[in-house]
Every structure is written in C-alpha cells, then in structure tokens.
C-alpha cells in the first residue's frame, strides 16, 4: 500500500500544501477517526467551546491566511456552525467545512441515527441546507477519484473565496486513496486574462479617465479577497486620483498616501466628501459589497452611470458594458498589473484633472484638531478611537466588533501594513471574539518581521454571546489585546428603538474577572511567556496610564484585557442621525427616505 494513503491524510495534507496550519472545531463521534490524521499532516487542532465559535474562528483565520478548515459533526455540529458559514459566504471568506457523517449507507437504509431528525430524516437533508451558503458540496464517501473531488473543492474554495462543504462518513477516514497526486503540491491557481479582452478593458479604462474631470477611486472590502491591495495602492499613488474607502474596505489603502482621504460614510461620517463624491464623473469602484450598513443606507454609493465597477470576474462600465464572463473571466489583479505597466512605460499620465475644490478633508486633521482631554473627564465614543491613533504600530491588526466599535473604528488612522477586520453585511453578534482567536493564530504563523499586535475592540453585549472563547485563547497562549467597551447594553439598538427598554439591557458582569475564570486563575498572573494583565478604566487619565505603562499593550505579548466604561447612550455624534433614521425606516416610516 506504499502508493496509497488514508483519505483523511490526503485531505489534511492538501490543506497544508495550500498554507493552512490549523483545523478549528469540536470533536464528535462521527469525526474522531479523521481527527487522528491532523497532526501527522503538520496541522494543529484548535478545539473551541462550540461549533458556532469554531466557525467564527475559521472565518478569522481565513481572512489572514486566505484559507481555513473547520471540522464539525453531523447535524447538531454543522447546524451550530451554519451561522458562521453563512457569514463567511456573505463576506467571501474561504472556509473548508468538513462534516463527519454517519457510516455509509445508514441514511439511505432508513436508519434513525443520533444527531439526525428522527423520522423526518432523509438522505442529504443537511447537505441541502448547506447548498445555500457554500459554493460546492462533495461526498467523500461515494464514487471513484476521491482525490480529484478533494482537489476540486479546495481550489474552488480558494478561487471563489467562499466556503465549501465536504461530507466525510465516519468509516471513510481510513479508506485508501492514491498518494501520487500529493507529489505535485496543490497551489493557488494563477489568474490569467485573455490578452485581447484585457487590452479592450484597458483601452476602455484609459478612454474613460481621459474624458474625466472629477475622477474618484473607491475601495471596498472584497478588494482584499481579490488580493489586489498592493496594485490598488500603486494605482492610487501613480494616478494621484482622490481615493476613499467604504467601511468594509478600511485599511486596504495606505493612510500615508497624500490622496487618500479615509472612510466614506456619506453624511453620517466625521469627514464629509459628498460634495465631490456625488459629482464625480468617473468612479473606479473596487470590490464592492453594497449592503445598507456598509453604504449608509446606500447613500454613499456612486451613481451607476458614472461607475466602473471591478469584481472578481468582470468589469462593468457605467451599467452599459460588461467585460468578462463566468466562462471567460476578466480578473482584476492581472488587469491592474497590465494597466500599471502601461503607466510606467510613459513619462507622464495619459490623463489630467484638476485638484478637488474645495480641497477634500483628511483623517489626520481630525486627530490634529482634537482638543486635549482632562484626566478626570469620562471616556467618550466620539474621540476614543482617534485618541488611540498615536499608540498604533505598524503591522497591527485591529478587529472591530459588530457594535459601536464598528462605527468608531472608522476614525483610526492606520500605520503601515496594518489591517482592519470588520463586518459589512452579516454583522452577527458575538462574531469577533472567536474571530480574534483565528486571526491571532494566523498572525503567529507569519514570519516574525511581519507579525504585529492583534487588538480586539469588543462590545459588552457581543462579548456575552461568545465569552467562553477567551478560555480557548488562554488555553493556546495566543497573544491578544482586548478593549471591551462596557456601555451597559445594546447602545445601537437603544438609538434605533427602545432607548430605555429592558430588551436592550444585558446582565451586569464583572468583566475584568473573565480572564481569571477562563483559565487565568490556573496561570496566576500568567507566566513570563504569557503574562495576563487586566484593567478597568472610565476616565481619560486612567486610559492614558494603561496605554503608556502596560507592557502587554505596548508589546502585544500575552493577554491584556481592558474594560472601557462608557455611558449607555453614548454613540458617535455624527452617527446618531443614521441610527434614528434606521429606526424610522424599520418602523415603516417611508418618508424617512433611506435606511442604514
């Protein structure tokens, strides 16, 4: 059998070849035999407290590494995780979901198996549920050429940047499959464009730019999934076209570029670019995810008749011309590389435009114009994130929970090579603490010179949904800084509807005891290799001392947990109107004219 390997070994080896170094999940009896093959393939098992959190962690890991793996059991496990898988699908995160199934034939024979639906069970019922939120579903226990099924699924996951679903019957883990394909490592497919189609696209782009007098570059979060961050930064630098980001695209464009103006939040942002963005006559839009929350009730979207929109497979020009199809895609990465090559081959730009008048504002001006804070004054949402700006470091990864942090974090002025992890459409409460587990793990797998701190900005309500994964973070000694915003409940919801309603309250927790309860007690105050620090602050002076004196915050070593107390009705001043508008629209007030 030297020419063959167990099926599970083949699968995990292929994942390793594609850069995955960990498998997240919860063990179940249908998965146990396959889990034995994880470590021999060079992967690490990361056991979480429940499958939903494992899915969130896999999502976070994939956003850094470009691919992740999740293992759950049949029925109860996979359905617990399906919320996270749906979020990964909605926000284009490539997660390989491996589901341990009953032995082959059990379902089709009409056997009633545990974790199933009893008399309502039917073969494939859970796979049918997964079809809506995965781009491929494969049964590894049926048919020939299982190796090809695995390879196809993994490459599809990478290519589409969305989850796939692998059904692995419990008695299939040790099935022998051909070892030969493993000799040729599975690699991420290189994107190539049809030369004539690409030339036509470049000619159309140059013609549009030559005719433009008010061009604009808008960057959204799916541009990161397209792996075009470096090309976009070079495009912005070379052309000097005014550039802004949607909230989901925050951090893709370098804050150090002189023509980058920060996050575009329409009339609800601290910086208002609408006098220019609304009148732009040629908008290059990259990686759009046009949800209501990401575009402030669609108010921040450019006019379709002025937009050239780039997605994974095509370029749409002014809603009139589309270049690229499913069968003959136009990939943005090689397209931009060819366009930049055209620019570098000429001594001057092939187009010109006037500088915006009046000049567009810059995020740095917000920080520079901040009034000094009195040490005894309470911390407020309006300036908290801006005041953290000078304490950020190159290579930091900032994770913004689906709470006030998601809005406040738009104000961050990021140093070089920093990353923002946030949500734009799924916005599941409790998502970001488990995601931080995956992000931190993936960050530790980077070369030392590229590792930075991972800093989570979490809400109190969100923390209460998935707090137990703090124990997993401590268990695996993952370095993390947590700022837990304690504003006594669901503040966004209060502003939308029910300011004083009991349903917007949460239980009062002693948050600074959480690290102790979830494993820090075993470590005492931690170890020299994994120190644990906890703080509770409510004034600027107290926060300043933590930022200046905490070794954990400054170095990112160990776990640093900072409870930041704010008042229950405090939100960013500019965003109050957006939340109130959302409340009117959700209540059926169509005269409000939009939503957020």
């Amino acid at each position: 059998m030297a020419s063959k390997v167990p099926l599970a070994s083949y699968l995990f080896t292929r994942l390793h070849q594609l850069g995955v170094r960990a498998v997240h999940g919860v063990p179940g009896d249908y998965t146990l035999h396959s889990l034995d093959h994880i470590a021999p393939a060079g992967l690490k098992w990361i056991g979480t407290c429940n499958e939903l959190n494992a899915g969130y962690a896999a999502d976070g890991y994939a956003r850094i590494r470009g691919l992740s793996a999740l293992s759950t059991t049949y029925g109860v496990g996979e359905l617990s995780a399906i919320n996270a898988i749906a979020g990964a699908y909605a926000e284009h995160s490539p997660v390989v979901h491996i589901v341990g199934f009953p032995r082959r034939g059990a379902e089709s024979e009409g056997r009633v198996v545990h974790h199933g639906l009893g008399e309502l069970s039917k073969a494939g019922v859970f796979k049918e549920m997964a079809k809506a939120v995965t781009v491929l579903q494969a049964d590894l226990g049926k048919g020939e050429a299982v190796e090809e099924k695995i390879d196809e699924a993994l490459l599809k996951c990478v290519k589409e940047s969305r989850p796939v679903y692998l059904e692995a019957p419990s008695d299939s883990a040790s099935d022998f499959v051909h070892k030969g394909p493993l000799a040729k490592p599975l690699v991420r497919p290189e994107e190539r464009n049809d030369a004539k189609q690409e030339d036509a696209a470049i000619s159309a782009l140059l013609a549009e730019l030559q005719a433009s007098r008010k061009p604009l570059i808008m960057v959204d979060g799916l541009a990161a999934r397209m792996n075009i961050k470096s090309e976009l930064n070079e495009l912005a630098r070379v052309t000097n076209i005014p550039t802004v980001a949607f909230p989901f695209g925050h951090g893709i464009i370098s804050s150090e570029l002189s023509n980058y103006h920060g996050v575009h939040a329409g009339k609800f942002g601290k910086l208002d670019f609408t006098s220019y963005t609304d009148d732009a006559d040629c908008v290059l839009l990259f990686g759009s995810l046009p949800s209501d929350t990401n575009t402030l009730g669609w108010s921040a979207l450019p006019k379709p008749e002025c937009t050239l929109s780039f997605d994974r497979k095509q370029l749409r020009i002014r809603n009139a011309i589309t270049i690229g199809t499913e069968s003959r895609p136009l990939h943005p990465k090689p397209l931009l590389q060819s366009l930049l090559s055209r620019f570098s081959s000429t001594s001057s730009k092939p187009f010109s435009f006037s500088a915006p008048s009046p000049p567009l504002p810059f995020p740095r001006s917000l920080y520079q114009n901040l009034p000094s804070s009195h040490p005894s004054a309470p911390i407020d949402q309006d300036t908290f994130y801006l005041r953290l700006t000078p304490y950020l470091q190159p290579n930091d990864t900032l994770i913004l929970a689906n709470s006030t942090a998601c809005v406040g974090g738009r104000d961050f002025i990021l140093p070089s090579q920093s990353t923002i992890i946030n949500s734009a459409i799924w916005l599941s409460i409790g998502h970001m603490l488990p995601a931080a587990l995956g992000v931190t793990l993936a960050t530790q797998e980077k070369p030392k010179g590229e590792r930075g701190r991972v800093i989570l900005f979490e809400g109190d309500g969100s923390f209460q949904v998935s707090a137990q994964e703090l124990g997993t973070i401590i268990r695996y000694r993952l370095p993390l800084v947590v700022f837990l915003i304690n504003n006594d409940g669901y503040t966004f919801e209060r502003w939308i509807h029910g300011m004083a309603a009991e349903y917007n309250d949460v239980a009062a927790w002693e948050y600074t005891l959480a690290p102790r309860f979830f494993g820090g007690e075993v470590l005492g105050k931690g170890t020299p290799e994994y120190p644990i620090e906890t703080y509770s602050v409510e004034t600027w002076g107290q926060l300043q001392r933590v930022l200046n004196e905490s070794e954990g915050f400054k170095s990112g070593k160990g776990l640093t947990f900072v409870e930041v107390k704010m008042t229950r009705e405090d939100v960013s001043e500019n965003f109050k109107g957006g939340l109130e508008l959302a409340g009117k629209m959700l209540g059926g007030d169509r005269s409000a004219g939009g939503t957020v």
Side-chain angles (χ1 to χ4, degrees), residues 399-588:
I399 305 174
L400 308 178
N402 303 320
S403 61
T404 52
C406 205
V407 170
R410 298 172 187 173
D411 296 341
F412 281 131
I413 303 163
L414 302 176
S416 63
Q417 303 305 312
S418 296
T419 301
I420 290 279
I421 302 291
N422 59 5
S423 185
I425 184 171
W426 196 242
L427 297 163
S428 183
I429 188 169
H431 178 187
M432 290 304 175
L433 176 62
L437 190 167
V439 168
T440 304
L441 185 68
T443 300
Q444 292 303 296
E445 294 169 2
K446 292 181 177 181
K448 282 191 175 181
E450 298 176 14
R451 295 178 200 167
R453 299 175 300 177
V454 178
I455 306 175
L456 167 66
F457 294 87
E458 177 70 298
D460 52 351
S462 182
F463 181 76
Q464 291 194 11
V465 173
S466 51
Q468 63 269 53
E469 297 311 333
L470 191 65
T472 309
I473 289 165
I474 293 171
R475 172 188 175 187
Y476 291 105
R477 307 294 191 264
L478 297 175
L480 181 66
V481 177
V482 179
F483 286 96
L484 186 139
I485 313 303
N486 180 0
N487 48 14
D488 195 22
Y490 301 123
T491 296
F492 270 10
E493 282 73 10
R494 294 190 198 282
W495 278 94
I496 292 172
H497 183 76
M499 183 64 77
E502 183 180 2
Y503 50 70
N504 284 327
D505 297 338
V506 299
W509 283 14
E510 291 284 353
Y511 292 103
T512 55
L513 297 181
R516 177 182 176 185
F517 175 81
F518 286 117
E521 176 69 12
V522 177
L523 298 175
K525 289 187 177 179
T527 66
E529 296 77 26
Y530 193 79
I532 296 176
E533 302 178 25
T534 60
Y535 305 92
S536 181
V537 301
E538 53 188 316
T539 68
W540 291 116
Q542 292 169 341
L543 177 62
Q544 195 79 33
R545 281 193 293 276
V546 172
L547 299 177
N548 290 328
E549 299 173 13
S550 166
E551 288 301 321
F553 171 72
K554 289 188 288 185
S555 69
K557 188 176 182 181
L559 174 66
T560 303
F561 190 96
V562 185
E563 177 189 22
V564 183
K565 294 182 178 179
M566 300 189 194
T567 59
R568 60 168 21 200
E569 297 179 11
D570 185 22
V571 296
S572 176
E573 194 64 36
N574 290 74
F575 202 61
K576 287 179 182 177
L579 294 170
E580 290 172 334
L581 177 61
K584 291 177 182 178
M585 284 298 296
L586 291 169

Side-chain angles (χ1 to χ4, degrees), residues 100 158 264 291 351:
V158 171
H264 178 43
S291 70
F351 57 91

Side-chain angles (χ1 to χ4, degrees), residues 193 195-210 308 310 315 317 323 330 334-343 350:
N193 289 330
K196 290 183 178 180
Q197 182 171 254
E198 185 174 271
D199 284 344
I202 290 175
S203 296
L205 282 170
L206 292 176
E208 292 285 348
L209 289 171
Q210 287 167 351
L308 284 67
F310 300 75
L315 166 63
I317 301 175
I323 303 176
L330 179 70
L335 173 65
L336 287 174
Q337 290 171 342
S338 296
L339 179 64
L340 290 167
S341 179
R342 295 272 188 103
F343 290 158

Side-chain angles (χ1 to χ4, degrees), residues 55-243:
Y56 288 149
D59 176 14
Y61 185 95
R63 294 189 191 212
I64 301 297
R65 293 290 288 182
L67 186 67
S68 70
L70 167 68
S71 173
T72 68
T73 198
Y74 170 80
V76 293
E78 60 180 306
L79 294 191
S80 176
I82 200 169
N83 176 15
I85 294 298
Y89 182 91
E91 299 189 347
H92 293 245
S93 193
V95 179
V96 178
H97 188 187
I98 307 161
V99 182
F101 260 62
R103 67 166 178 81
R104 281 167 287 200
E107 276 191 321
S108 60
E109 292 166 6
R111 305 287 186 180
V112 177
V113 297
H114 63 283
H115 299 334
L117 295 174
E119 67 276 12
L120 297 179
S121 288
K122 62 178 181 178
V125 62
F126 298 126
K127 187 194 294 185
E128 285 299 314
M129 296 180 187
K131 277 186 178 180
V133 293
T134 57
V135 293
L136 180 147
Q137 309 80 38
D139 182 350
L140 303 186
K142 283 185 180 179
E144 302 294 327
V146 176
E147 308 92 335
E148 293 178 12
K149 284 186 183 180
I150 291 172
D151 292 357
E152 178 190 7
L154 300 188
L155 291 176
K156 181 83 168 178
C157 188
V158 171
K159 188 176 179 181
E160 301 293 327
S161 192
R162 275 181 156 158
V164 296
Y165 178 97
L166 299 182
E167 176 182 331
S170 61
D171 58 343
S172 70
S174 298
D175 282 359
F176 282 100
V177 299
H178 291 290
K179 183 180 181 181
L182 295 178
K184 184 179 180 182
L186 206 59
V187 295
R188 298 168 192 266
E190 182 180 355
E191 294 179 338
R192 298 177 183 273
N193 289 330
D194 176 89
K196 290 183 178 180
Q197 182 171 254
E198 185 174 271
D199 284 344
I202 290 175
S203 296
L205 282 170
L206 292 176
E208 292 285 348
L209 289 171
Q210 287 167 351
S212 173
R213 292 297 171 262
K214 292 185 87 172
L216 176 68
I217 295 174
M218 304 185 85
V219 178
D220 208 351
L222 297 185
R225 312 298 195 263
M226 299 176 195
N227 192 28
I228 56 173
K229 181 176 179 178
S230 61
E231 287 82 6
L232 286 179
N233 276 272
E234 183 64 7
L235 179 69
R237 186 192 68 81
V238 168
T239 63
N240 203 37
I241 293 173
T243 302

